[in-house]
Amino acid sequence: MSAMDLFDAVGLAPALPGARCRGRATLFDLAEVGTDPEDAEYAEQAAKRLCAQCPSLMRCRAWYEALPRSRRPFGVVAGLVNRPKSVGRPRRTA
Ligand code: SF4
């Protein structure tokens, strides 16, 4: 289930008629750790192309951009890619 499907299932997404992402979680969700980077890039580009052809793109983009950043789903949404901030130690600078 893609992030969009999940939001849809719990009633947090607007009606998005003809959404091209439905049932395509493998393209729209962020790649799992260990995925071949080329495969991940291919999926991301394919998802972006589907968004560009989606009849609900404008509505989806408006919904997505109205969400607080902390509540935006991860993955490809409305032609944009949302990744969690990387965590780790702060870098030392000389
Ligand atoms: S614009 Fe992309 S994420 Fe939004 S409904 Fe369409 S296919 Fe799904």
Side-chain angles (χ1 to χ4, degrees), residues 27-28 41-54 57 76-81 83:
L27 294 179
F28 284 81
E41 178 64 18
Y42 177 85
E44 190 173 294
Q45 293 305 318
K48 286 178 169 180
R49 283 193 299 275
L50 287 167
C51 285
Q53 301 164 1
C54 180
L57 175 59
V76 176
V77 181
L80 305 171
V81 183
R83 294 185 176 85

Side-chain angles (χ1 to χ4, degrees), residues 1-2 4-5 10 13 21 42-43 47 54 57-58 60 65-66 69-70 83 90:
M1 178 179 278
S2 75
M4 285 298 291
D5 288 335
V10 295
C21 54
Y42 177 85
C54 180
L57 175 59
M58 301 289 278
C60 183
E65 291 183 343
R69 287 186 190 277
S70 62
R83 294 185 176 85

